Amino acid sequence: MSLERTLQELPCLNETLDGSLLASQSSKRQKRTACLDAENTPQELIQNWSPPHKHPRVAADKGKENEENVFVLARRPRRRRDSLGACWDRLPDELLLRILSCLSLRDLLRTSRVCKRWHQLSFDESLWQSVDLEGKVRLGNALGQVLSAGALRLRCPHTSIGEPCFNHKEQLRVQHMDLTGCTVSPEIIHDIMSRCTKLQNLSLEGLALSDGILQSLAKNPQLVRLNLSGCSGFSSETLAEMLRSCTRLSELNVSWCDFTSDHVRAVVSNVTPTISQLNLSGYRQNLVLDDVRRLVERCPDLVNLDLSDSVLLTVDSFPVLQKLPSLRHLGLSRCYQILPAALLYFEQFPQLQTLEVFGMVPDPADLTGLMKDLPRLRLNSQRFTSIARPSPSWRNTGTCGSSPAV
């Protein structure tokens, strides 16, 4: 009996263990609940729930020379990405392109060197619609990069052009290009023109060309204005072939080129009949009356015609020119076989508005009297022709001539 009673009075081991475990768990929950109830800031919660921070380890050399030097090894806390604010890498391409569009050409080229993504965005075709490189001393690889980027309008007159480096072999998108007075070899011009098939306005004034260049120009059926003033180096046969291919030409300037009489005949016999403005000046001994007749018969819609410096023209050409019903502007400067008194014949041109006769009426009094006798006409109002020449508005409007683009 005593043994059974003793066993009954002993507490159950399982109950004791279960009770102790439950008590410890409940106490932890109470602590966590109290912590959550008392502290509401996220940073303090993170500190309470995170493991204890490691203390920096201090290491010091035992050498006498380093007794005063103490090195502390510690890890800097990593900054959170959200605390950095707006990041350039996280901006969309559209926003970056908008920012890059506000930069100058020099700053845009510098920006292209920052990283691969910025290089790709810097040469996006939307940023290279119109490029003005006038005044640059020398252009080499930059010209190839600009054209390869998809530029539609390019101006770089009076510039030294080196060997361009194109990024691809595809056809260029350029439509309006001004290379007036550039220092460039015919081979480089040929390399550029062979990649162009969408040209609408082109000025190659004063350049040495080749037959290959004109053959490349013939592959631009949308060409509207062409300025070849002062050019040389191509044959009359290639010139005729090019003119037959460019059927949409409205303005053509072939003044003062290195032409023979065969070149002049190639122009008047093959230029498109719908042309409205033509500059054929500077051919002293090579332009004759038969050429004028052929031109008038082929191109009856001429509005602006310049035949200055054609010393073989006489008053016999006046009845021929009178057959042009739309003629508004006529240039006969320095056609010395036409006497000043014969200019009164132009009173019979009802549609004529301006007449250029520089050098033909040397006496100012005679010129004043001529103006009184021809009150409808404006005499010597424009010293230099504007036919097919780049106008100041070209960089903004995309036109290479004085009249609006077609």
Side-chain angles (χ1 to χ4, degrees):
M1 293 293 292
S2 61
L3 181 58
E4 294 178 357
R5 185 176 180 179
T6 305
L7 292 174
Q8 291 176 356
E9 293 176 356
L10 291 176
C12 180
L13 182 60
N14 294 334
E15 294 177 358
T16 305
L17 292 175
D18 293 340
S20 62
L21 290 175
L22 292 173
S24 62
Q25 292 178 0
S26 61
S27 63
K28 291 181 179 180
R29 290 174 182 172
Q30 291 175 359
K31 290 181 180 180
R32 292 178 180 177
T33 304
C35 180
L36 290 173
D37 294 339
E39 301 172 357
N40 295 324
T41 59
Q43 188 66 24
E44 293 177 353
L45 287 176
I46 293 173
Q47 292 178 358
N48 291 334
W49 283 85
S50 61
H53 294 283
K54 294 182 179 180
H55 297 285
R57 183 175 61 185
V58 179
D61 295 337
K62 296 181 180 181
K64 294 182 179 180
E65 65 278 2
N66 295 326
E67 288 181 354
E68 298 180 356
N69 298 331
V70 178
F71 300 94
V72 178
L73 302 179
R75 179 179 295 176
R76 293 182 179 179
R78 181 176 296 177
R79 299 180 62 183
R80 298 179 61 186
R81 185 179 294 272
D82 295 341
S83 64
L84 297 178
C87 181
W88 287 97
D89 295 336
R90 304 176 67 181
L91 294 179
D93 291 349
E94 293 77 7
L95 185 55
L96 282 176
L97 286 174
R98 178 62 179 172
I99 296 173
L100 294 177
S101 65
C102 301
L103 300 180
S104 63
L105 176 61
R106 177 172 298 182
D107 293 337
L108 186 60
L109 294 176
R110 290 176 177 175
T111 304
S112 65
R113 304 174 184 175
V114 174
C115 60
K116 292 182 178 179
R117 185 191 178 203
W118 285 27
H119 179 82
Q120 183 178 4
L121 292 175
S122 298
F123 286 97
D124 188 86
E125 61 183 26
S126 63
L127 301 176
W128 298 91
Q129 297 295 312
S130 180
V131 181
D132 189 354
L133 301 177
E134 183 178 5
K136 304 298 179 183
V137 178
R138 181 174 178 82
L139 293 176
N141 296 338
L143 181 60
Q145 292 178 351
V146 167
L147 292 174
S148 300
L152 296 179
R153 293 177 286 274
L154 174 65
R155 295 187 71 253
C156 53
H158 310 290
T159 303
S160 178
I161 300 178
E163 184 70 27
C165 180
F166 293 99
N167 298 331
H168 52 75
K169 296 183 179 180
E170 300 177 359
Q171 297 296 319
L172 302 177
R173 298 177 64 247
V174 62
Q175 299 177 2
H176 316 278
M177 184 158 47
D178 180 13
L179 302 179
T180 300
C182 288
T183 303
V184 57
S185 65
E187 292 77 16
I188 294 178
I189 301 177
H190 188 199
D191 186 21
I192 297 174
M193 294 302 158
S194 63
R195 303 170 186 267
C196 300
T197 58
K198 301 179 181 180
L199 286 172
Q200 298 179 14
N201 303 294
L202 177 64
S203 177
L204 301 176
E205 182 173 347
L207 303 184
L209 307 180
S210 64
D211 288 343
I213 295 175
L214 264 65
Q215 291 172 357
S216 298
L217 292 181
K219 299 178 181 179
N220 291 266
Q222 304 299 321
L223 195 60
V224 176
R225 296 175 184 85
L226 178 60
N227 181 15
L228 298 180
S229 176
C231 292
S232 60
F234 49 90
S235 63
S236 59
E237 294 80 10
T238 308
L239 176 62
E241 179 184 354
M242 186 270 294
L243 292 175
R244 287 193 296 266
S245 301
C246 299
T247 58
R248 295 195 60 185
L249 272 178
S250 65
E251 298 183 27
L252 175 63
N253 189 338
V254 287
S255 61
W256 294 100
C257 294
D258 187 15
F259 277 6
T260 62
S261 57
D262 293 335
H263 287 83
V264 175
R265 284 193 293 269
V267 173
V268 299
S269 302
N270 296 279
V271 67
T272 179
T274 58
I275 195 168
S276 60
Q277 302 188 49
L278 175 63
N279 188 344
L280 200 58
S281 61
Y283 302 110
R284 303 176 182 276
Q285 305 292 333
N286 296 323
L287 181 67
V288 296
L289 182 59
D290 290 339
D291 297 327
V292 178
R293 289 196 182 100
R294 189 178 293 110
L295 176 64
V296 171
E297 292 174 359
R298 182 174 178 82
C299 307
D301 299 328
L302 280 170
V303 176
N304 190 347
L305 178 61
D306 193 347
L307 301 176
S308 300
D309 296 282
S310 300
V311 297
L312 297 183
L313 291 184
T314 62
V315 294
D316 296 336
S317 61
F318 292 178
V320 178
L321 296 174
Q322 196 174 4
K323 297 179 181 180
L324 296 174
S326 303
L327 188 62
R328 301 289 189 277
H329 313 281
L330 179 61
L332 294 175
S333 299
R334 293 170 295 279
C335 294
Y336 296 114
Q337 293 199 32
I338 300 176
L339 299 178
L343 298 177
L344 295 176
Y345 186 91
F346 288 102
E347 182 65 24
Q348 305 178 28
F349 285 62
Q351 303 297 330
L352 193 63
Q353 298 177 359
T354 62
L355 178 63
E356 313 300 335
V357 288
F358 289 99
M360 297 175 58
V361 188
D363 191 350
D366 295 340
L367 182 60
T368 303
L370 186 61
M371 290 180 179
K372 292 180 180 180
D373 294 334
L374 300 173
R376 293 188 304 104
L377 297 182
R378 288 180 296 167
L379 299 181
N380 296 347
S381 61
Q382 189 175 8
R383 185 173 295 273
F384 300 103
T385 181
S386 61
I387 298 177
R389 278 182 169 168
S391 62
S393 61
W394 177 79
R395 69 183 68 184
N396 297 325
T397 63
T399 60
C400 191
S402 56
S403 53
V406 177

